[in-house]
Amino acid sequence: MKRQTIVKKRHKFLFVLLKTLVMPYFWLFKGYRRKNKFDNRKQNVLVLSNHQTDIDCINISFHFRRTLYFLMTDSVTSNRKIYRLLDYVFAPITKKKGTNDSTSIRKMIQVAREGGSLCLFPEGNRCYAEFQYPVENSISKLVRILKLPLIIFNIHGGNGVSPRWKHKPRKGKFYGEIKRIIYPDEYNKMSDDELHDTIVNNLRVYDSESGNLYRSKRRAEYLEKMLFVCPNCNKQGTLYSKKEYITCTSCGLNVEYTKDLHLKSNDESFKYTKLNDWYQMQKKWVKEYIVKENETIFKDTSVRLFTSNSNEQRKLLVEGEIELTDKELIFRSNYKNKDVVFESKIFNLSEISISSVISGSNFYFSLINGETYLVKGKDRFNPLKYVFMFNKLDTDMKNSKRDEYYTLD
């Protein structure tokens, strides 16, 4: 049976058409600017980029004349209508987060051989607090297998204008640039470790060190999507953000999130200056947390549980509460409608094989048997604490050391 081609003529036409239509909007209303571009129409390339915003794929496309085939998480395939549209227009290559997917690698090789250009985010996750997620050592081998000129791309300002936990966008400097181009004859002279380090170092972008200012009257809203432990009283679930400040309702700690993406407080005991400091403190808090038998560790209301299997339409299973104990993840339905009956669902933690935050207030988890579920919360729901705790409790993902992005090490 003849293998179906991935690179199609319509992709080139639609890529140019849509880029022409949406570029003015992104420049006028999103404030995005293009610092440089790659003008060679004949050369297909591999683009590696840092990942700051939900629209990075679109912004990166403005810098290239050739169609880019993006590697995306397979959660997009569980929304059939959106995926069919994306597949027709761009044919994205999908991959399950936290896994080495041989199928996606074969498709990338096929795209390269058919003359297509590829783009992926080696960190595998949109950044939270400006630190870099681990980049697998296998990225060096992938570069060599594809045998394409390597373009390392940087998005700047995304943490300022559109942080992952934002409620509304902010105004400030937001641009992209081609940081470095490395051709095969150059990277073939490097060892795998040298190539890996070159990629990692050139992907690193810390907007808080730029000196740029990002204006908003709601700069700190909704930081609770990321922050869940007060560093002063050590209590969780007591933080509340409003306008430029995040406050602990238990001890009264009040911290400003400033225009230059720093933290400032009149409380002398508060020593953190950047979000990453607070983020790392929370990882330590989870790591040192003493779990008691039959304890409710976290509990939240107003969440929805969906199936999220590849190439299947999502199905709502539960609408109500989520509770994490020392051994189970529990969903209880409190949705009242005589025509709809949702049963509660209980998952044994030992069956959870991988989990990751999706967007700002959602997370997914997969079971050992391959079933995947999506948890959607309201505006201030914090999914990060659940994924962190999965890395501490007796889950399959913790025991198998599958987690690459939210590890507690």
Side-chain angles (χ1 to χ4, degrees), residues 254-398:
N254 192 47
V255 179
E256 179 186 1
Y257 187 56
T258 63
K259 294 179 182 179
D260 61 353
L261 312 184
H262 284 71
L263 300 171
K264 185 173 70 174
S265 176
N266 292 328
D267 190 326
E268 294 182 357
S269 63
F270 184 80
K271 303 298 182 182
Y272 303 144
T273 59
K274 295 183 181 181
L275 284 177
N276 188 33
D277 301 330
W278 200 329
Y279 183 96
Q280 299 300 330
M281 181 279 294
Q282 294 184 144
K283 291 176 69 172
K284 183 180 178 183
W285 182 90
V286 172
K287 190 174 183 178
E288 296 176 351
Y289 186 87
I290 299 175
V291 181
K292 301 175 183 177
E293 189 174 0
N294 298 322
E295 174 192 11
T296 295
I297 302 171
F298 300 131
K299 188 174 183 179
D300 288 280
T301 59
S302 302
V303 300
R304 292 177 294 164
L305 174 70
F306 296 84
T307 59
S308 186
N309 298 310
S310 297
N311 300 313
E312 292 181 13
Q313 187 65 37
R314 288 176 186 163
K315 179 183 177 182
L316 179 61
L317 299 177
V318 178
E319 185 168 353
E321 296 180 342
I322 180 175
E323 179 182 356
L324 177 64
T325 71
D326 60 319
K327 292 183 175 63
E328 296 176 329
L329 182 64
I330 306 166
F331 295 88
R332 296 188 181 91
S333 179
N334 57 15
Y335 185 77
K336 297 179 180 180
N337 187 317
K338 63 180 181 180
D339 298 322
V340 180
V341 178
F342 293 128
E343 296 181 357
S344 297
K345 289 191 72 68
I346 300 177
F347 299 93
N348 192 308
L349 295 185
S350 63
E351 298 177 349
I352 297 179
S353 64
I354 194 67
S355 180
S356 182
V357 176
I358 299 290
S359 189
S361 55
N362 310 321
F363 74 91
Y364 88 92
F365 63 95
S366 294
L367 305 182
I368 296 174
N369 63 11
E371 293 178 359
T372 301
Y373 299 87
L374 175 68
V375 181
K376 286 193 171 188
K378 293 293 185 179
D379 290 338
R380 297 180 188 269
F381 174 70
N382 186 306
L384 183 65
K385 62 186 180 184
Y386 289 92
V387 179
F388 272 164
M389 196 58 74
F390 290 157
N391 280 285
K392 177 181 178 66
L393 300 173
D394 189 25
T395 61
D396 179 69
M397 65 182 282
K398 184 242 183 176

Side-chain angles (χ1 to χ4, degrees), residues 71-257:
L71 182 68
M72 296 182 177
T73 174
D74 70 344
S75 61
V76 70
T77 65
S78 61
N79 189 320
R80 299 292 291 277
K81 292 181 180 179
I82 292 178
Y83 178 66
R84 284 175 180 173
L85 177 62
L86 288 174
D87 189 48
Y88 182 82
V89 177
F90 298 121
I93 300 168
T94 58
K95 174 183 178 294
K96 185 179 288 293
K97 277 192 176 184
T99 63
N100 291 317
D101 191 337
S102 59
T103 301
S104 63
I105 294 174
R106 286 197 298 269
K107 287 185 177 180
M108 284 189 281
I109 295 172
Q110 184 180 345
V111 168
R113 288 176 177 173
E114 293 176 3
S117 292
L118 293 150
C119 182
L120 59 98
F121 304 102
E123 293 171 85
N125 218 305
R126 186 181 165 190
C127 63
Y128 251 117
E130 295 193 296
F131 65 92
Q132 271 190 305
Y133 290 104
V135 176
E136 291 185 3
N137 292 329
S138 59
I139 190 66
S140 299
K141 292 182 174 59
L142 178 63
V143 171
R144 298 189 197 282
I145 289 172
L146 296 176
K147 301 177 183 179
L148 298 176
L150 172 62
I151 295 183
I152 302 179
F153 190 90
N154 287 171
I155 297 284
H156 294 266
N159 291 301
V161 300
S162 185
R164 190 167 185 171
W165 40 265
K166 77 175 189 307
H167 183 55
K168 291 187 177 181
R170 302 92 198 280
K171 294 182 179 180
K173 195 170 184 179
F174 182 33
Y175 68 97
E177 67 170 333
I178 294 172
K179 180 70 176 294
R180 184 172 175 182
I181 302 176
I182 309 175
Y183 289 93
D185 58 349
E186 181 179 354
Y187 63 65
N188 284 335
K189 295 177 183 178
M190 301 179 183
S191 68
D192 284 348
D193 289 340
E194 288 173 334
L195 180 54
H196 176 270
D197 291 345
T198 298
I199 292 169
V200 169
N201 293 335
N202 281 277
L203 286 175
R204 189 176 294 121
V205 174
Y206 296 148
D207 290 330
S208 62
E209 298 176 357
S210 68
N212 295 325
L213 303 180
Y214 296 89
R215 302 178 301 279
S216 172
K217 294 181 179 180
R218 296 180 173 87
R219 290 193 300 272
E221 299 178 359
Y222 287 15
L223 266 169
E224 302 97 307
K225 292 180 181 179
M226 180 180 74
L227 304 178
F228 59 94
V229 179
C230 173
N232 267 22
C233 65
N234 217 35
K235 292 182 178 180
Q236 70 89 10
T238 60
L239 298 173
Y240 183 81
S241 64
K242 186 175 182 180
K243 295 186 177 180
E244 299 94 350
Y245 299 91
I246 185 164
T247 304
C248 176
T249 57
S250 177
C251 69
L253 174 69
N254 192 47
V255 179
E256 179 186 1
Y257 187 56

Side-chain angles (χ1 to χ4, degrees), residues 31-48:
Y32 185 78
R33 294 294 180 267
R34 183 176 62 189
K35 189 171 182 179
N36 53 21
K37 59 182 181 178
F38 187 74
D39 278 326
N40 192 333
R41 292 184 178 184
K42 296 181 180 180
Q43 178 65 65
N44 56 330
V45 296
L46 169 63
V47 182
L48 304 181

